[in-house]
Amino acid sequence: MTIIPVQPGEPRRPDGPRDPGDAWVVAESGERYWGRFGAAGVLAFDPERGVLLQHRVGWSHFGGTWGIPGGALHEGESARDGALREAQEEAGIPDGALRARFASVLDLRIWSYTTVVADVVSSFEPVISDPESLALEWVPVDEVDQRPLHPGFGAAWPALRALLSARPAVVVDAANVVGSVPDGWWQDRAGAAERLRERLSTWTGGGVAAPGLGVGADLWYPLVSMVVEGAAREIADAVDERVEIVRASDAGDDAIVEETRRLRDGGFSVTAVTSDRGLRARLEAVGAQVQSSGWLLERLG
């Protein structure tokens, strides 16, 4: 492959400084792909309005077709962060309006494209804010394939659509996970719980491999409920949306089962984390997949 830097007058970046990622990757066969470090885009999903699609301007790759807001990743930028940034730049999506749910990766070795599917958590109207769009529209899910789609998005759409109903969540038995490592946690139970919460936030924020959650796609950003009991209930409130603290008022096991039941009733598929055999049986009885504390600790690193 070869890298061709963006040339003067490139309509994607007609003015201002350019990022090193703004370049063409050219395969030996001659195909050109935009983004030296790969590219990513956001498929924003609103259950009431459908998905947000971009009508691509004529000079763009497969101009005139419909796809999703996206573009080249910056050097060192994660696909999730880059996709959300590009969506803001191209569609004026406000901060905090989307929550990433899962990512699907097309990996061509010399170049990759990551589609990040994100749920709308705060309603907004898209605004054309760069030269790459003719229109931005909310399109009902059943009508997406009636549009002339960008070939890449068109090929990915059936699998993406099938996963729009999948909502994994993780319920963590914090006492069991913390107690499985003899690192002096008993001297400061709230502090040990806070350290676990920070590790969980990093884990889910970076994307969780799909096989461990029993779902498709490549990476998921699942909701995580961390159930604490006893002295660990003094843990401070969560500072981000990735990990919700559930404080058990009585028995911790009861709170874990109730949180699992609540999420299941809300349409989530739940992976519960505990090595307690009695609790495992109760969780499986309410429909959860159960993984051990060791399984989680191995993934937290």
Side-chain angles (χ1 to χ4, degrees):
M1 70 171 184
T2 58
I3 303 296
I4 300 178
V6 64
Q7 300 300 306
E10 164 64 52
R12 287 176 177 79
R13 299 289 184 271
D15 303 302
R18 297 184 177 91
D19 185 86
D22 293 338
W24 290 99
V25 176
V26 183
E28 292 182 0
S29 56
E31 288 94 345
R32 291 157 58 94
Y33 304 99
W34 178 249
R36 176 180 298 181
F37 309 114
V42 164
L43 181 64
F45 174 60
D46 184 321
E48 296 183 358
R49 295 185 291 177
V51 296
L52 180 61
L53 294 187
Q54 174 196 53
H55 194 188
R56 301 167 63 84
V57 72
W59 51 257
S60 66
H61 199 218
F62 293 104
T65 61
W66 291 80
I68 58 176
L73 296 176
H74 291 176
E75 186 172 11
E77 185 176 47
S78 72
R80 173 181 175 273
D81 290 346
L84 293 173
R85 172 186 55 75
E86 284 285 339
Q88 288 186 316
E89 292 178 0
E90 295 191 356
I93 299 176
D95 287 336
L98 299 177
R99 186 188 189 281
R101 194 188 338 160
F102 70 88
S104 179
V105 183
L106 171 66
D107 188 351
L108 302 180
R109 296 196 177 185
I110 63 166
W111 181 85
S112 66
Y113 188 93
T114 301
T115 302
V116 175
V117 175
D119 295 304
V120 175
V121 295
S122 179
S123 184
F124 66 91
E125 290 302 327
V127 177
I128 296 176
S129 47
D130 80 352
E132 297 187 44
S133 303
L134 291 173
L136 295 164
E137 293 183 18
W138 290 103
V139 179
V141 170
D142 291 340
E143 299 178 12
V144 169
D145 54 12
Q146 297 175 20
R147 306 282 176 112
L149 301 178
H150 181 285
F153 176 64
W157 171 240
L160 296 172
R161 177 179 180 173
L163 289 169
L164 289 178
S165 60
R167 295 181 176 276
V170 179
V171 177
V172 178
D173 179 354
N176 191 271
V177 174
V178 168
S180 66
V181 181
D183 58 359
W185 55 265
W186 53 87
Q187 300 175 29
D188 181 8
R189 295 171 189 262
E194 288 180 356
R195 290 191 293 275
L196 175 59
R197 182 189 63 196
E198 291 171 0
R199 295 171 71 188
L200 287 169
S201 178
T202 299
W203 177 62
T204 187
V208 178
L213 301 176
V215 287
D218 294 290
L219 293 174
W220 288 80
Y221 308 97
L223 295 175
V224 176
S225 295
M226 176 176 149
V227 182
V228 294
E229 58 184 292
R233 289 180 298 183
E234 299 174 6
I235 184 175
D237 290 331
V239 295
D240 61 36
E241 63 179 10
R242 296 172 184 164
V243 181
E244 179 180 353
I245 303 300
V246 178
R247 293 175 173 81
S249 57
D250 295 306
D253 287 7
D254 291 345
I256 293 165
V257 173
E258 182 56 35
E259 177 65 5
T260 299
R261 182 181 290 110
R262 182 186 72 82
L263 289 167
R264 288 282 296 165
D265 290 347
F268 288 87
S269 59
V270 179
T271 298
V273 178
T274 186
S275 292
D276 184 298
R277 291 185 179 180
L279 179 55
R280 169 186 285 269
R282 293 179 64 188
L283 291 166
E284 289 176 340
V286 295
Q289 167 187 254
V290 182
Q291 299 284 6
S292 69
S293 293
W295 173 89
L296 178 61
L297 290 170
E298 181 180 348
R299 282 152 182 79
L300 296 182

